Amino acid sequence: MWKLRISFLGGLQAALLILGAGLGGVAIDAVSLASPAYAQTVVRDIQVEGNRRVEPETVRTYLKFTVGDVYDASLADDSLRALFSTGLFSDVNIDLKGSTVVVYVEENPVINQIAFEGNYEVDTDTLAAEVQLKPRSIFTRSRVRADVQRILDVYQRQGRYAAVVEPKVIELEQNRVNLVFEITEGGATKVKGVNFIGNQAFTDSQLRDIITTTQAGWFDFLKGTSVYDPDRLNLDRELLRQFYLKNGYADARVISGNAELDRDGSGFFITFTIEEGELYRFGQMTIESALAELDGESLHGELLTYTGAVYDASRIDKTVERLTLSVAERGFAFARVRPRATPDFYSRTIALNFVVDEGPRIYIERINIYGNQRTKDFVIRREFRLAEGDAFNPLLVDRAEKRLKGLGFFKAVNVKKRPGSAQDRVVLDVELVEQSTGELSFGAGYSTSEGIIGDVSLTERNLLGNGQFLRLRLGGSFERVQVDLSFTEPRFLDYNLAAGFDLFHKELDQRDTSGFRSRKSGGSLRLGFPLAENLWAQTRYTLSRDELFDVDDNASLAIRDACGDANINPRDARGRPINSPDCQDSSYWTSALGGSLTYDRRNVPRNPTSGYYLQLTTDFAGVGGDVNYVRMLGEARGYYPVADKVTLVGRVIGGHIEGWGGDDVRLLDLFFRGGETIRGFDRSGFGPRDARTGDSLGGQTFWAATTELRFPIPFIPDELGMGAAVFADAGSLFNASGRAKAVVDPGDLLDDSTVRSSVGGSILWNSPVGPLRVDFAHALTKEDYDDEQFFRFGASTKF
């Protein structure tokens, strides 16, 4: 009789019995088929051998059988798997010797120390926090492989996809090991190109300004945004979607954002595929109230969405928030506002009906904040328009989450709701992941008016975790030196007020155009606040000291007279210096109150293609100090999309300064204008001038207007970021100071309000080192004494 060691059960056992019956002389024992020959062996003892740290009883607890059970090979297999799954053993064997089961184990070693070698770009503390294995933990090869992948993930998040990690094990006595991760970091994998497919309304250059990822350039070592980061890629997709929704494209979708590694593995090419859809405008606006005591018509003044305006999803969110707050202030704490959009595909409009009804009566029991290692709690809590104990409103919670993301302090923000201690209570958990808020930036460039220019700035957007802004900037050129320190508290006294101060020092060399040098040092206090949507007001007080020095011996009498403000020069009856001795330093204090109003409806701050920008600024000097004047400046800019990728730009600026209380306007407070205002003219190239010396004397009044048509250059790919423009400029600077009129002979003082104008063309390039612009301009109307400039080049970069 054959005894087969087959442990198959159930249907297979029955099948073999039938097979045995049909085989005639071959007999198969059913008991033998059910289990091995020792299937009836009862376990009398269980012994554990090879263990050093692990107690025998601990090993026995993982066995699937015990003393007194009939030995079963399948249970022995389950026991082996259970022991291996503990991670305590590198090898396990179970043998049956008579009625005794012997469990042989070989323990995994204990890690004595973990070290990292070759990590220069990532500090050891970061890697140690990332790996799961720690000193005195159990060493297993599977856990080592997992930690190798975790280290690679860290490097890949920093764009180093060529990194290699090799673990080394150093065996020690008493079954201990040292684990060393040898790292070859490789170079950072940069983004070589960012391209867009399907974009018709906006150019590649404009969309690159929206996303956070930048293309590799000359100064990549100073910034990290050109290093490929998949998390940043997801953020960029959302930024593009929000941008289109804000600019009228309600159906826009970012279908994909793909990153492809080039053949040599040295860089990524990122491609965003966009489906823009049609441009929509707002249709009819209605407010429907389901609350008997609330009239929906009374809320129309809170609407920020206007019939006929370009569709803007962000304005819908803001309107819902304003309506919710307005209704809550009227005593409806649990009211909710829901917008219902009705698109009309033929007229390309979207009608909105804001429905106000009663929401569930739920209160906020607690707001917990997690993950803010640096940012203080109050900075986070002030972004919520509700507090503990208030009625729970999902909309206001969602808006608070968006405001937290908009601060730029956090890499991730997630607000979760969970049940509170009662059915009508909820707890909000705010989970944050902080990111770096400091920035060191450099600027470099060249200008035909100043030569080589450059600046460096150190910025902190979350100073000491208080949410405050601090920036120190140093800039200069061959003709200018400037230092600025700015501080801003964005929520002064917990109100929506931006308060801050500025300290500044500037030295300017105007010897080539006006025969003198000047410096200005001082500081200002400012307070800004919103008056309405897109309307911002700012007030300020400035105290500064102006100095005039290094005046040329042959400078205009008007300029040399400005040095006589300290009464250092003898004068004749008309106030003119006698014999014009060497000019000494002259300085004075200016104490001024000022304010500004700014209204901004541009679709994007950088490279706008539609909308307009208005600003009015006033300064009143004479609140103490040595000078008395009133100065006004105004500017208006408009942008209109003429055709696909063609934008018409218009700009009008003007200013006037006038002394009061019998004071004249000082030389350093006058306006000096040139090619930066009307192209085709040199620096300080037009305006009042001394015919005898050729010095520019400055004026009290100026204006300028510009019309420019911007368009892509034919046959040049959009991804190069190049464009062209044709323009026409006009303006004037006139009305010399009373002092200049008094000391300069009338025949030598050239001062009139003649219109200067020019036409020309420009080449624009968003180059890897920053925006470049070349202007070619021809002056159409001018005066003989004006200084012209046909070619003007400027470049600057921020990195």
Side-chain angles (χ1 to χ4, degrees):
M1 181 177 294
W2 294 353
K3 290 187 176 182
L4 304 178
R5 292 187 176 181
I6 302 176
S7 59
F8 299 152
L9 303 176
L12 182 57
Q13 174 181 331
L16 290 174
L17 287 173
I18 296 172
L19 179 62
L23 290 176
V26 180
I28 299 178
D29 190 346
V31 175
S32 300
L33 291 170
S35 59
Y38 45 73
Q40 301 301 318
T41 301
V42 177
V43 177
R44 301 300 181 188
D45 188 22
I46 299 176
Q47 297 180 1
V48 179
E49 298 181 2
N51 57 309
R52 295 183 180 182
R53 301 184 311 276
V54 183
E55 294 295 329
E57 191 57 36
T58 301
V59 176
R60 294 189 184 100
T61 60
Y62 289 99
L63 299 178
K64 303 304 180 181
F65 57 87
T66 185
V67 174
D69 293 345
V70 176
Y71 183 81
D72 190 326
S74 63
L75 294 178
D77 290 343
D78 291 342
S79 300
L80 286 173
R81 284 190 288 270
L83 288 169
F84 272 117
S85 66
T86 64
L88 298 173
F89 310 106
S90 60
D91 191 19
V92 180
N93 190 22
I94 299 178
D95 287 341
L96 178 64
K97 294 183 178 180
S99 61
T100 301
V101 174
V102 181
V103 183
Y104 298 94
V105 296
E106 182 176 328
E107 295 178 347
N108 276 321
V110 174
I111 296 177
N112 177 63
Q113 185 179 0
I114 297 178
F116 303 90
E117 295 182 356
N119 56 309
Y120 303 106
E121 297 297 329
V122 182
D123 60 84
T124 298
D125 291 341
T126 300
L127 295 177
E130 192 71 24
V131 298
Q132 298 298 311
L133 288 171
K134 306 295 180 184
R136 295 185 296 279
S137 63
I138 302 300
F139 172 90
T140 66
R141 296 189 181 278
S142 61
R143 296 177 70 183
V144 171
R145 287 193 294 269
D147 279 347
V148 166
Q149 186 57 48
R150 290 187 180 94
I151 295 173
L152 289 174
D153 290 343
V154 172
Y155 277 95
Q156 288 177 3
R157 287 197 295 269
Q158 297 198 4
R160 296 182 178 272
Y161 283 78
V164 177
V165 180
E166 185 175 353
K168 298 290 186 181
V169 179
I170 302 173
E171 297 184 357
L172 306 175
E173 58 183 7
Q174 298 180 353
N175 200 27
R176 297 176 303 128
V177 296
N178 285 341
L179 177 59
V180 180
F181 292 100
E182 294 184 353
I183 302 171
T184 303
E185 295 182 322
T189 311
K190 300 293 184 68
V191 176
K192 286 189 171 181
V194 179
N195 303 308
F196 301 88
I197 298 176
N199 55 309
Q200 299 295 326
F202 302 98
T203 65
D204 286 10
S205 177
Q206 288 176 308
L207 296 181
R208 290 192 191 102
D209 289 338
I210 301 302
I211 63 177
T212 58
T213 301
T214 58
Q215 297 181 137
W218 293 355
F219 301 100
D220 294 338
F221 62 94
L222 294 172
K223 61 181 178 180
T225 54
S226 63
V227 176
Y228 173 69
D229 184 345
D231 294 334
R232 189 184 298 122
L233 187 63
N234 293 330
L235 171 62
D236 289 340
R237 291 185 61 176
E238 179 61 20
L239 290 175
L240 288 170
R241 190 182 75 87
Q242 294 294 337
F243 173 73
Y244 271 96
L245 291 177
K246 184 180 179 181
N247 287 279
Y249 294 88
D251 299 328
R253 294 188 305 142
V254 182
I255 298 174
S256 64
N258 298 322
E260 296 182 1
L261 195 63
D262 62 1
R263 293 182 179 179
D264 59 3
S266 61
F268 280 93
F269 286 91
I270 295 177
T271 303
F272 293 97
T273 302
I274 300 171
E275 186 178 288
E276 291 183 333
E278 299 293 337
L279 177 68
Y280 284 85
R281 295 183 177 274
F282 285 122
Q284 184 179 5
M285 299 291 132
T286 58
I287 300 177
E288 177 185 336
S289 174
L291 304 176
E293 302 85 358
L294 181 66
D295 180 16
E297 293 298 323
S298 65
L299 297 172
H300 270 275
E302 303 295 333
L303 293 179
L304 298 174
T305 53
Y306 307 109
T307 300
V310 174
Y311 176 83
D312 183 348
S314 66
R315 297 180 75 83
I316 298 177
D317 293 338
K318 293 176 181 178
T319 297
V320 171
E321 183 178 7
R322 287 187 61 170
L323 289 172
T324 302
L325 292 174
S326 178
V327 171
E329 290 173 355
R330 301 186 187 194
F332 302 93
F334 297 96
R336 61 184 177 183
V337 179
R338 291 176 293 174
R340 293 177 180 174
T342 305
D344 187 333
F345 303 107
Y346 296 101
S347 63
R348 295 180 185 173
T349 60
I350 298 178
L352 290 174
N353 180 28
F354 295 93
V355 179
V356 184
D357 59 10
E358 184 79 11
R361 292 181 173 271
I362 301 176
Y363 297 89
I364 298 174
E365 179 178 336
R366 200 166 59 254
I367 300 177
N368 299 322
I369 301 175
Y370 304 99
N372 56 320
Q373 302 297 323
R374 184 164 176 265
T375 307
K376 296 178 181 177
D377 271 22
F378 75 87
V379 176
I380 300 162
R381 293 182 183 275
R382 70 189 183 189
E383 298 303 322
F384 286 82
R385 300 297 185 261
L386 36 76
E388 294 164 342
D390 288 351
F392 171 73
N393 190 306
L395 167 70
L396 297 184
V397 173
D398 180 66
R399 295 294 296 165
E401 182 174 350
K402 290 181 179 179
R403 279 191 291 268
L404 287 173
K405 292 178 180 178
L407 290 176
F409 302 164
F410 309 105
K411 184 183 297 183
V413 178
N414 191 12
V415 181
K416 296 181 179 179
K417 181 187 72 171
R418 58 184 174 89
S421 58
Q423 290 185 349
D424 62 346
R425 297 288 188 272
V426 294
V427 175
L428 299 180
D429 292 329
V430 184
E431 299 177 355
L432 307 168
V433 178
E434 292 185 313
Q435 65 181 1
S436 174
T437 55
E439 178 184 350
L440 175 64
S441 64
F442 296 82
Y446 179 81
S447 167
T448 50
S449 60
E450 294 188 57
I452 297 176
I453 58 177
D455 65 71
V456 56
S457 66
L458 180 64
T459 304
E460 173 54 61
R461 293 178 285 111
N462 187 15
L463 182 64
L464 301 176
N466 292 316
Q468 298 162 336
F469 176 89
L470 180 68
R471 182 180 65 191
L472 174 63
R473 182 175 63 184
L474 294 85
S477 66
F478 290 134
E479 298 183 349
R480 173 179 55 86
V481 175
Q482 188 168 352
V483 181
D484 299 290
L485 176 67
S486 297
F487 171 83
T488 302
E489 166 55 67
R491 296 293 295 275
F492 184 60
L493 300 178
D494 280 338
Y495 290 101
N496 195 14
L497 301 173
F501 66 83
D502 301 291
L503 302 176
F504 52 84
H505 175 80
K506 181 177 181 180
E507 293 192 12
L508 189 63
D509 188 346
Q510 294 178 253
R511 285 177 293 184
D512 290 342
T513 59
S514 300
F516 67 87
R517 295 174 63 192
S518 64
R519 66 169 60 98
K520 187 183 189 73
S521 304
S524 63
L525 300 174
R526 49 186 161 76
L527 182 68
F529 48 91
L531 295 177
E533 186 72 15
N534 301 316
L535 180 62
W536 183 262
Q538 185 179 88
T539 60
R540 63 183 175 273
Y541 169 75
T542 303
L543 178 65
S544 63
R545 185 171 180 81
D546 293 82
E547 298 180 57
L548 183 69
F549 64 101
D550 279 0
V551 175
D552 291 344
D553 291 340
N554 297 320
S556 169
L557 289 179
I559 295 170
R560 296 178 62 80
D561 175 74
C563 286
D565 290 339
N567 296 318
I568 62 171
N569 294 332
R571 303 169 182 276
D572 60 19
R574 293 184 58 189
R576 293 179 296 185
I578 299 174
N579 298 325
S580 298
D582 290 339
C583 186
Q584 305 295 318
D585 289 353
S586 177
S587 62
Y588 57 90
W589 288 95
T590 301
S591 176
L593 291 173
S596 65
L597 285 174
T598 304
Y599 188 63
D600 192 352
R601 289 297 305 273
R602 295 173 295 176
N603 58 345
V604 287
R606 295 179 60 185
N607 297 324
T609 56
S610 65
Y612 53 91
Y613 173 92
L614 306 173
Q615 186 176 65
L616 177 65
T617 302
T618 61
D619 289 291
F620 179 83
V623 189
D626 301 320
V627 296
N628 300 321
Y629 65 75
V630 177
R631 178 171 56 200
M632 296 191 67
L633 294 168
E635 179 180 10
R637 281 179 267 164
Y639 305 86
Y640 181 77
V642 177
D644 182 28
K645 302 178 183 179
V646 179
T647 304
L648 179 65
V649 181
R651 182 191 186 206
V652 177
I653 59 174
H656 179 74
I657 185 170
E658 188 74 35
W660 66 274
D663 278 12
D664 191 17
V665 180
R666 308 279 181 118
L667 175 68
L668 299 183
D669 297 321
L670 295 170
F671 299 112
F672 291 83
R673 290 293 182 265
E676 77 287 347
T677 306
I678 304 176
R679 285 161 287 192
F681 293 86
D682 204 351
R683 186 164 67 102
S684 299
F686 63 92
R689 190 177 301 275
D690 187 329
R692 184 177 60 84
T693 63
D695 290 332
S696 176
L697 304 181
Q700 295 183 218
T701 306
F702 84 96
W703 67 271
T706 294
T707 300
E708 183 171 286
L709 187 68
R710 299 174 183 172
F711 52 88
I713 301 177
F715 310 111
I716 293 186
D718 289 342
E719 54 266 23
L720 292 181
M722 296 189 69
V726 292
F727 60 83
D729 294 344
S732 185
L733 171 65
F734 54 93
N735 194 8
S737 68
R739 290 179 178 270
K741 295 174 182 177
V743 299
V744 178
D745 288 336
D748 292 334
L749 180 60
L750 307 174
D751 180 14
D752 60 72
S753 58
T754 304
V755 175
R756 276 75 163 182
S757 62
S758 65
V759 294
S762 305
I763 298 176
L764 316 174
W765 183 26
N766 285 326
S767 73
V769 297
L772 305 178
R773 181 175 186 126
V774 178
D775 294 320
F776 302 91
H778 172 68
L780 295 179
T781 57
K782 60 183 180 63
E783 294 299 316
D784 294 337
Y785 54 84
D786 292 337
D787 291 336
E788 298 179 59
Q789 183 187 63
F790 173 72
F791 171 78
R792 183 179 180 87
F793 171 78
S796 65
T797 182
K798 295 289 183 183
F799 42 86

